[in-house]
Amino acid sequence: MAGERLKIGFIGAGNMAEALMKGIISAGMAKAEEVVASEIVPERREYITRTAGVRTVSDNIEVVRSSEVLVLAVKPNQVGNVLDEMKPYLTSAHLLISIAAGVKISFIESHINQGVRVVRVMPNQPCLVGESASGFAMGKCVKKEDKETVQKVLNSVGVAFCLDEKLLDAVTGLSGSGPAYIYMIIEAMADGGVLAGLPRDVALQLSAQTVIGAGKTYLETKKHPGELKDMVTSPGGTTIEGIRILEEAAVRGAFIDAVEAAANKSREMGEKN
């Protein structure tokens, strides 16, 4: 399946689903007219068809019947009811990819027929601009080619790593919640620029581009972040003065604690289903 065009359907057509659709189509994994999505809101169906070119329907079962790969993209509290509705039509021929946050593979498998191949994915918001950082875990019936298919789907909108399911809480705390931390950094650095005299719009652009540039520099050079930091930090210069302030404020420790706290919260939420 990994080397062929996908017969892929989406159960739910929200923002994440839309991003995945467009990524899959852009990567040539499926033609727009070959993708089908179910969505209960008529206005959303019209929007998805108009902007992505995919066929949209109001019936989940129609999607199941016409697809081999299914992306489950409904709200976490809807997963059980949606799976119960789909169960009579799901077979071992289906690969079910769930992007429902916090919903465990065991919960999904308990609501479907044995043999359905289940993969749980934790994507993140930058999926919307093709820069997602995702983790995914495989259920007990998944085949080797299914892993390759999911990897290719997720790579179409960013990067992805196959992990044990128990590590998806850490993925949630880091890359799942992480964009919010970075937006806070962008806003705070821009505030500093405004304090120093820059116009707000210029400060925000400079701040956001600095974040993009630093991330890209690490990804392309693979130099340790500490080494890259040292390259910017001249003796007695401006950068070391700024770093001193950040270290006095324990910013590094605060980020570590934030990731850990978000991961722990994800773990607590997962235990409820």
Side-chain angles (χ1 to χ4, degrees):
M1 184 184 298
E4 304 170 1
R5 280 221 298 267
L6 299 179
K7 290 181 65 177
I8 189 164
F10 288 78
I11 307 298
N15 291 331
M16 285 288 194
E18 177 187 356
L20 284 170
M21 290 176 206
K22 292 178 177 177
I24 289 164
I25 294 164
S26 177
M29 298 179 68
K31 292 183 177 179
E33 58 269 25
E34 296 171 331
V35 179
V36 59
S38 59
E39 171 58 52
I40 60 172
V41 180
E43 293 80 8
R44 183 67 182 173
R45 289 201 300 272
E46 187 278 330
Y47 168 82
I48 290 294
T49 297
R50 174 167 46 84
T51 60
V54 309
R55 181 166 69 93
T56 55
V57 298
S58 59
D59 182 14
N60 292 334
I61 306 309
E62 186 174 347
V63 177
V64 177
R65 284 174 165 164
S66 61
S67 307
E68 295 174 349
V69 179
L70 295 164
V71 178
L72 185 62
V74 298
K75 296 184 185 304
N77 63 355
Q78 298 173 339
V79 168
N81 289 337
V82 169
L83 289 176
D84 290 342
E85 175 196 7
M86 293 163 54
K87 181 177 179 178
Y89 308 92
L90 287 170
T91 72
S92 59
H94 288 107
L95 169 60
L96 180 63
I97 303 171
S98 171
I99 61 172
V103 180
K104 290 183 177 179
I105 292 172
S106 59
F107 178 86
I108 295 170
E109 291 180 338
S110 72
H111 282 262
I112 56 178
N113 299 312
Q114 188 170 359
V116 180
R117 294 116 64 202
V118 177
V119 175
R120 176 185 168 192
V121 178
M122 180 61 224
N124 70 350
Q125 187 199 43
C127 177
L128 306 180
V129 292
E131 295 293 348
S132 182
S134 305
F136 66 98
M138 300 184 293
K140 58 188 176 185
C141 296
V142 172
K143 304 173 184 177
K144 179 183 176 182
E145 54 265 36
D146 295 331
K147 177 184 174 183
E148 295 170 359
T149 295
V150 174
Q151 186 79 57
K152 193 171 180 182
V153 167
L154 296 176
N155 285 352
S156 76
V157 289
V159 299
F161 300 91
C162 184
L163 302 164
D164 290 339
E165 186 180 19
K166 64 184 179 181
L167 294 177
L168 292 189
D169 293 315
V171 173
T172 301
L174 178 55
S175 57
S177 301
Y181 314 153
I182 302 304
Y183 299 142
M184 291 177 70
I185 290 174
I186 291 171
E187 183 181 32
M189 286 176 58
D191 283 345
V194 171
L195 181 63
L198 290 173
R200 170 68 61 182
D201 59 337
V202 172
L204 281 168
Q205 288 287 330
L206 287 173
S207 183
Q209 184 61 40
T210 297
V211 170
I212 291 172
K216 190 171 182 179
T217 300
Y218 165 73
L219 290 172
E220 293 194 1
T221 66
K222 292 296 190 292
K223 292 181 181 293
H224 190 281
E227 182 181 354
L228 293 171
K229 170 190 66 90
D230 290 349
M231 290 168 64
V232 185
T233 310
S234 302
T238 58
T239 305
I240 193 62
E241 187 66 17
I243 287 174
R244 179 180 65 82
I245 297 298
L246 293 174
E247 294 288 17
E248 287 177 352
V251 168
R252 191 192 305 251
F255 275 109
I256 293 171
D257 290 346
V259 172
E260 183 185 38
N264 288 339
K265 182 67 173 180
S266 174
R267 197 169 294 113
E268 288 174 21
M269 294 170 66
E271 289 170 356
K272 295 178 182 178
N273 62 55

